[in-house]
Amino acid sequence: MGDPRGFLKIARQTGEYREVSERIQDFEHVAKLRPEKKSQEQASRCMDCSTPFCHWNCPIGNYIPEWNDYMFHDNWQAAFVLLNATNNMPEITGRICPAICEYACVLGLNDDAVTIRENELAIIEFAFKNKLVKPVIPQKRTGKKIAVIGSGPAGLSCAAQLNRAGHNATVFERDEKPGGILRYGIPDFKLEKNIIDRRIDIWEKEGIIFKTGIDVGKDYPTNKLLKEFDAICLAGGSRVPNDLNIQGRNLRGIHFAMDYLIQANKIAAGALHKVSAGVRRSSVADEKIPTNELINAKGKRIVVIGGGDTGADCVGIAHRQRASSIVQIEIMPKPPECRSEDYPWPQYPLILKTSSSHEEGGERHWEVLTKRFIGKNGFVKRLVCVKVEFVKKKGNSCPVMKEVPGSNFELDADLVILAVGFSHPEHSGLLGELKLEFDKRGNVKTDNNYMTSVEKVFSAGDMRRGQSLVVWAISEGRRCAHSIDKYLMPARQGSSGGGESNLPSI
Amino acid sequence: MNSRYFPGKQGLYDPQFEHDGCGVGFVCNINGKKSHDIVTKGIEVLEHLSHRGAVGADPETGDGAGILIQIPHEFLLKKSKENKISLPKIGHYGTGLVFLPTDNKDKNFCMNLFKKIAGEEGQKFLGWRDVPTDSSAIGKSARKTMPFISQVFIGRNKNLGNQDAFERKLYIIRKQVENNIRSSSIEQKTFFYITNLSSKTLSYKGLLKPSQLRGFFPDLKDKSIQSSLCLVHSRYSTNTFPTWDLAQPFRFLAHNGEINTLRGNINWVRARERLLSSKLFGTDIEKLKPVIVEGGSDSAAIDNVFELLILSGRSLEHSMMMLIPEAWEHNKFLSKELKDFYKYHACFMEPWDGPAAIAFTDGKNIGAILDRNGLRPARYIVTKNGFVVMASEVGVLDIAPQDIKISGRLEPGKIFFIDTQSSRIVHDCEIKKNISMSFPYGKWNSSNMVDLDKLVAGGINNKKSEDITSQLKAFGYSREDLKMIIKPMAEEGKEPTGSMGNDTPHAFLSKKSQVLYNYFKQLFAQVTNPAIDPIREKLVMSLESFVGPEKNILETTPEHSHKLMVRNPILTNGGFEKIRDISINGFKAKTIYTFFDATDGKEGFQRALERICFEAEYAIEKKYSFIILSDRGTNKDNIALPMLLATSAIHQHLVRKNIRSQVALIVESAEPREVHHFALLFGYGADCINPYLAYETIEYLIGEKEINLNLKKALFNYNKALKDGILKILSKMGISTLRSYRGAQIFEALGLDNGFIEKFFTGTVSRIGGVALEGIAAETIQRHNLAYPKKGMSDPYLASGGVYQWKKDGEFHLWNPESIAALQEATRNNDYARYKEFANMINDQSANPTTLRGLFKVKKVNSIPIDKVESAQNIMKRFATGAMSFGSISRGAHETIAIAMNRIGGKSNTGEGGEDPNRFITLPNGDSRRSAIKQVASGRFGVTINYLVNADEIQIKIAQGAKPGEGGQLPGHKVSEIIARTRYTTPGVTLISPPPHHDIYSIEDLAQLIFDLKNANPKARVSVKLVSEIGVGTVAAGVAKGHADMILISGGDGGTGASPRSSIRYAGLPWELGLSETHQTLLLNNLRSRVRLQTDGQMRTGYDIAIAALLGAEEYGFCTAILITMGCVMLRHCHLNNCSVGVATQDDILQKRFRGKPEYIVNYFHFVAQELREIMASLGIKTIDEMIGKTELIELKKNIISLKAKGIDYSGILYKPDLPRNVGRYCKSGQKSGLGSVLDKKLIKMCKNTFKKNEPTKISVEIKNTDRTTGAMLSGEVCRKCGDGVLLEDTITCKFKGFAGQSFGAFLAKGITFELEGMTNDYVGKGISGGKIIIYPDRKSNYEPDKNIIIGNTTFYGAILGEAYICGVAGERFCVRNSGLYAVVEGVGDHGCEYMTGGRVIVLGKTGRNFAAGMSGGIAYVYDKDKTFENKCNKDMVELEKVEEKDKDTIYHLLHNHYKYTKSQKAKRVIENIDNELKKFIKVIPIEYKRILEEVKIEERLGLTEGYDG
């Protein structure tokens, strides 16, 4: 371990954000990259627990104590090798992962957790800076061809893993550029798109084929797909949003969060918002968005319904678009600021999260139920809301929501964003043509080996498990790749029940 | 003889693991004057040693007793006439008692054979005499197996040159008769045994108690039975199936001790048989083979070899020096000639290693020898009229004090020898001088022996593996191997330390590919012989070996020393290349590669094994001196055989062919990297090892900047760590030299197929079968495939490992994040449902089989409602917590456990390290922090009479699952004020717990300690903690015979605060095996109903308890689970004092983080009991007692066993011996205390006024050697009735006269003074707690006190406080681990003041070697008149200084007292001239202690604190 008593000497210190006044002027990263020395110092707090709960709680099983130790001892190369072993895109999780590992950090029992996410970021950025991240081209190819549908984190990590095992992976993406939700769902101020491009570039060199702008099932016949590929991985995400079917929903000015975010991201990627000349921006051809489809909060009173991360991202976008007022409402009660008894360590606790976007301003309200929208001239103008409370009944059953009598109130709004989650993937199109089975929630159903009801068709990521975290998507992609490898090359697996293969299974 | 009346191998019981401890002795007349009196005295000695023997369930059957005397010619003449045998003159006939079958046909067969063979050998058969016996007084079981005893007479052929030639003929006749009968088909073969056949000596022996010998053999009462010498032996077998033939003396010797290296010695003797030749025997030599008769005891085996050496022309002394050489390797005091003698003979054979006091005779001379470490007591008295008595104890014969000329003791490695022809005692130095000068050994050595270090290196082969990652993978290295094993070894030069227990699957259950080493567990010494401290007692340890082809051991030629001397058997690359290229004096080396072609798969594996054996045999034929077994060059096409398998296969093959001794096996392998691997390779026959890939790994780690040292230093460190680690593994079995360890196979296999073991690891125990050759081959190939994948790319990093630290993709652990979190949640929220989830994670191992019990399930039969089952309250009384010392865990944690256990009526354990007396007082809320179990461990820290009196149970810790056979060390910086106080030492002083208890070197010693403790507190039960390994059952039987009330069988997986990682993982076996073996053995012995059985070692759930009960345990211990309920999250940082949750730390800041509560533990135990009750209900069982040993309720879950281990066989574990109904199956009757007639009862009565009114008492009584542990019970009474330390000095004074027994003045309380005029035995003043002991020779005697021994070995062990004045010399280990005693003595043996932590000692005379080893506190003043002390002192931890003015007061005061109490003339002379004499004292002061004293002084001057002292 870095320093056996490091955790007693050094306090937890997270990285800094740029000043609010500065950062809301642009779409660039709000978080400043922490100096390497600082990260090394923070790594010394890691106790190298023999039962590393962080590593356990991490869906991809990052070897956290090991790379903390390497980093502390200045062995960045070794730290990178191990980080790279479990995570295909640490530069992404290092920026946007909610770091469930940190909630399971043993130090968190009676002290502040280690800054694991930022340590991860430090390692991978060091590796990029020092040219340690290089395309590694497999020496021997298996000759097997796999199509990966969708280029979000699940599809990408699946393709990367398959490629490492010597298979030929082709990634199909219906959007202009690969990245899926990473590129189009997450604002630049949290994840600049050149970070994604940098990684895609390496994968292309390693031999992964990216076919963008192709909507499989529409632009590419399903039959052809099934014929040309030895296996298929469906990783198209879970994009059908939950809706709020209340009175006034059809008024203009009410949008789904994802529509708002995608548009904002496309605009940011294009020339519309060139901010500072010195920074290289991803050079997507300017997205021509028709003015009537533009969702812009400038000068508007915006209400974001939904208190989650997506909602918070919308808040951040709204700040940058100069909304005149921003209100975010959430139906659930305000979570406690620290871990409650309902979520004992090492569980991922429900606690109040204040994102960088929240720091930038706006109001947040909890226990608010939207009853209806009131409009004028077809445009939304107000929300009618009511305060609710959650009453716990006897036994272990979930608390029941009750409206608080007489607590009705109204909120003014020119723009309403619905960020109340996603229900399931799009059932029409490819999935429909493949006649796949779905689970109760409408997600693609698979067996334990990620295979769908159709032979040689696999699925991973949100499409399979429902809306989740990026790190889960990576884990899904990797595990799915492992299963595909086992499916395609059964003879290669360990011969005496060892179950070990040369593909990392975590 | 293994009579069919005694149980043979069954279930887990295997008779080959019987041990014995004993009493041994002899009497003789120096002038060779024969008399009947000598025989009578010999028998008397035997009778006085009877407390050192034992009895089993049948109290009248002893374990064996006998005598060996000169041929009583007059008597035999008389008797032969009666039998119509005409006897020639003495020396012209041979005779001996023969045990014959009782069946007439078989008997006649045997008798006729004698006649036939005697004739064939040209000797005259004279006849038989039926030996009268009276079996009325002997035990039932002895009578049942009693043979027909007859005496054979054979006359000498006149043509034979001399009596020695006749002796050889008799030997040949005996061997042939034995061989013939062994290969015959007679039914009662096992009855047959020839006690002796000689023209010089005759033995009477049998399955008797010493007191029965005279009655059984009426011959012995005949006055015409006369001899000038009489050798006697009384046996204490751990088991109660001793047999007639194993009674001693054997033909030439009687042995008290244990040969630890027996398997190796037997194999090596066998390996040498092909080369045996002797002019004296000529072609007859073939008739003598096999030299060692299989199935005998260790003592019988050494007798077999001793006999061969003597009859082929070597003298008694010479032969003994070959078999049991003293520790000569590092001894500065030996002459060059003697060292050369030993070195020369080291080329003949390895030492027979282990504790031993051996008395031997050839009928003319008689002598005795002690092992190199002096691990058995042997005292002698020589009288002025030429009579000598030697025995394990002094006082076995009444000898008038004024007749005593010398009172001596046998010293480590020394010979005591009486030449009756020249009528004198020949001193050790004279014997050895004569023998060492008889040939120019030094010259022979220097001209023939090749010193590896002095060989010039050839071209060093520096080729490195092209791709180290693939190489590492192919040999199964994980990241952990690099980070947690190799790196710390290279950095620190020590084996890495870890903590907590092992919770990973056994190798045969693991889903990960396992290297073969992982299937083997290290064995260790417990009870029947002591482990050695390889650090503090390194003078007896040696790794030096002499490798290369051996010669005929019956000859003496200069060429015998043509061997390669290797000081360090772990070869550097340079050293290895020297052997590869060797050509000096005809040496040559042959390399055999252990590869097979990757495409050949498993068949290739098998063929390669056959090939290498064949090649090895061929190499010997071609006169190669060294075979190099190499796996260098492994690549994608070549797979290497597991090196351990290759080595052992060749070794066993060559042993079977009797040619192993003609070649050395040198291993060049990528495989071995940790200490355990090397130990296994040596243990299965490797001579030297070059671990080239481990070396390369170190170089690689340096390149990676993982190790910040230069390569030379790092390699040096790594090598040192290996050497020290190997010495540690040797020493935990009580073995001191690698020469003896090599091939000794001190391992047990777990989960390997028996056929596989029998073929390749012949003689190793593997009790449950398991993985066979095919499985091992598959695992080897699997590793290779991972390293060299056929497609895709290989990962640039190694596998996680996950053995020492949990990893998602690593080895499975039962304690994993989920189970830990579940248990904590359940116990904190008192949530039984959550507990059941936890229990299910542990109990249902279908996904990850981990433990033996994980493969079990209980049958569902006749369930009953749960309310019919015994209450949880009742059940919880059977729960105990494991011994965790306050020191290893924090104060908060320790007290929380005690409170919780007291609340539920269970028992908590102090662990080693005492207990704060404040905790004996109940808290206002009714809680009690007092631990019910008080542990007594080897360091004896805080073991005061008050501590013992406050116990409900006193537990003797023999071994601990995480590091059986090893000691411990609490570094000074962890010894805080409070820890120091409870341990009665000084803060900051390092505290060392030695590997053995220095008062338990044998089973009879343990019985003595149990007796001591029962005396100290007759109300407490005494328990003995053992660790599971093969043979633990027989040890437990011995312990039960030693009157322990409870025996704890710990699993090898149990936890620890700090142990070497290899010990946590590889030492000790699962409790399921140990418990089951113990239960079965005790049943077979009918001892089960006397003792309770407890088991522990990773107990977690009610199901675990259910299995434990069904396998035979009445009580259950918990440890890790308790820590987890208190907040432990398995950081495994205990050894770093860095526990972030405050459980296992002494750090003030971290202790504040402790959040554990007694309620959590109480909740946990309720859950466990509840789960257990549910299982009991499902089995229809109402009470635990009903459940004990009901193995028929257990079933095997065959379907979850992995493919490789399908051959597993659990029938041994589940075996239920078929026994009569009256044999108790759980503890019903308990033990008899054996305290009936102790002297203390008398003393206590006499002290009634003191108890009533605190008035002084004066007592004066006679004392005998059978009065043992005098003073302990009295001290307990004082403590209980008057309070701890309340009585004033000399309130009770007892004056004794005579020879006191063992443990005189043990635990003597403050206020009691013991004065002894006479002598005493071992363990005087152990744990003395404030009393005063004065001992001086009988006033009538007139020998010089400072030259004669007055008290025995291991005296004042663990002394707490008090004073001692000893006017005479003490034996080995005076004041071992003294905490605070002030003592004066006039001379001490070896290892004086070892591990001392406080107090003051004045030695007014000579000391032995290794004085002050491991001494960390206190001061010793040695009167070094002739300036020889410095070399005898172990200066690793102490400084020698001149005595300063400030010391004068202490010395003067103590010597003044010494004179006042004992009238020591020496003390008088010194104090009369104190100023001058003071200069002759040397002050011995520990470096650390001195620094602390100085710091205290400074603080005192600054007025900061009060002074404290030991």
Side-chain angles (χ1 to χ4, degrees), chain A residues 168-201:
Chain A
N168 294 311
T170 305
V171 179
F172 290 92
E173 170 57 52
R174 65 182 172 194
D175 259 313
E176 288 300 304
K177 298 214 70 184
I181 206 151
L182 298 177
R183 184 178 298 277
Y184 297 109
I186 298 170
D188 274 42
F189 56 81
K190 278 170 71 181
L191 178 64
E192 286 180 339
K193 299 306 172 260
N194 58 345
I195 302 290
I196 304 170
D197 295 339
R198 184 172 67 175
R199 179 59 74 177
I200 300 284
D201 190 42

Side-chain angles (χ1 to χ4, degrees), chain A residues 4-5 47-48 50-53 55-56 58 63 66 70 75 85 110-111 164-165 492 496 498 500 502, chain B residues 479 483 511 704 706 782 791-792 797 800 805-809 817-818 1130-1131 1133 1138 1140 1147 1153:
Chain A
R5 295 182 74 78
M47 302 190 292
D48 192 15
S50 290
T51 311
F53 284 74
H55 162 74
W56 165 71
C58 174
Y63 301 120
E66 289 181 80
Y70 281 132
N75 194 347
N110 43 32
D111 202 331
R164 295 192 58 195
R492 183 156 75 173
S496 79
E500 288 162 281
N502 60 343
Chain B
R479 297 205 295 281
K483 172 184 155 187
K511 293 177 159 179
E704 288 282 295
E706 282 289 294
Q782 188 189 353
K791 285 276 154 60
Y797 52 89
S800 292
Q805 297 190 313
W806 182 89
K807 287 283 154 67
K808 236 174 179 164
D809 56 344
E818 276 157 77
M1130 294 292 279
L1131 270 74
H1133 284 182
N1138 215 18
S1140 85
D1147 183 289
R1153 296 184 172 194

Side-chain angles (χ1 to χ4, degrees), chain B residues 336 340 440-450 561:
Chain B
K336 188 184 171 303
D340 272 320
Y441 296 118
K443 211 177 118 205
W444 291 354
N445 289 346
S446 58
S447 54
N448 286 295
M449 195 171 283
V450 180
S561 58

Side-chain angles (χ1 to χ4, degrees), chain A residues 47-306:
Chain A
M47 302 190 292
D48 192 15
C49 305
S50 290
T51 311
F53 284 74
C54 52
H55 162 74
W56 165 71
N57 225 19
C58 174
I60 48 176
N62 273 342
Y63 301 120
I64 294 160
E66 289 181 80
W67 41 251
N68 271 334
D69 182 44
Y70 281 132
M71 177 165 71
F72 176 74
H73 283 112
D74 240 357
N75 194 347
W76 295 87
Q77 160 80 35
F80 163 67
V81 168
L82 280 191
L83 180 54
N84 195 44
T86 58
N87 192 345
N88 302 83
M89 43 192 108
E91 66 278 21
I92 312 274
T93 49
R95 287 182 163 86
I96 58 164
C97 189
I100 42 191
C101 51
E102 293 184 21
Y103 293 101
C105 174
V106 171
L107 206 41
L109 270 170
N110 43 32
D111 202 331
D112 296 323
V114 175
T115 60
I116 301 170
R117 179 182 58 76
E118 288 178 87
N119 293 1
E120 175 182 45
L121 185 60
I123 294 167
I124 189 63
E125 286 306 329
F126 179 97
F128 271 111
K129 191 173 87 189
N130 294 281
K131 308 268 186 295
L132 302 177
V133 191
K134 283 179 290 212
V136 185
I137 299 152
Q139 298 300 312
K140 286 170 275 186
R141 286 286 176 185
T142 62
K144 303 282 183 191
K145 289 169 71 183
I146 300 117
V148 177
I149 318 298
S151 69
L156 288 174
S157 45
C158 182
Q161 288 297 98
L162 289 168
N163 187 58
R164 295 192 58 195
H167 305 301
N168 294 311
T170 305
V171 179
F172 290 92
E173 170 57 52
R174 65 182 172 194
D175 259 313
E176 288 300 304
K177 298 214 70 184
I181 206 151
L182 298 177
R183 184 178 298 277
Y184 297 109
I186 298 170
D188 274 42
F189 56 81
K190 278 170 71 181
L191 178 64
E192 286 180 339
K193 299 306 172 260
N194 58 345
I195 302 290
I196 304 170
D197 295 339
R198 184 172 67 175
R199 179 59 74 177
I200 300 284
D201 190 42
I202 288 170
W203 281 330
E204 281 185 322
K205 287 186 179 132
E206 285 183 349
I208 301 178
I209 298 160
F210 288 93
K211 296 198 170 178
T212 56
I214 295 176
D215 193 351
V216 178
K218 207 152 82 188
D219 310 330
Y220 200 98
T222 309
N223 283 346
K224 191 177 167 198
L225 188 76
L226 285 168
K227 211 163 82 191
E228 285 180 357
F229 292 93
D230 299 301
I232 292 142
C233 171
L234 304 174
S238 170
R239 285 283 188 86
V240 178
N242 290 331
D243 206 344
L244 201 57
N245 290 317
I246 52 174
Q247 193 186 333
R249 170 65 183 85
N250 52 1
L251 290 165
R252 295 184 67 184
I254 303 174
H255 302 273
F256 286 118
M258 200 46 70
D259 295 335
Y260 182 50
L261 290 172
I262 289 174
Q263 204 182 79
N265 277 315
K266 287 187 174 173
I267 292 166
L272 289 178
H273 264 272
K274 273 205 176 131
V275 194
S276 55
V279 184
R280 193 188 85 88
R281 313 298 271 128
S282 51
S283 54
V284 188
D286 284 6
E287 293 272 357
K288 299 287 182 219
I289 297 164
T291 322
N292 61 343
E293 287 178 23
L294 262 179
I295 313 168
N296 195 332
K298 187 170 184 183
K300 289 179 182 160
R301 296 165 299 177
I302 176 170
V303 173
V304 177
I305 302 179

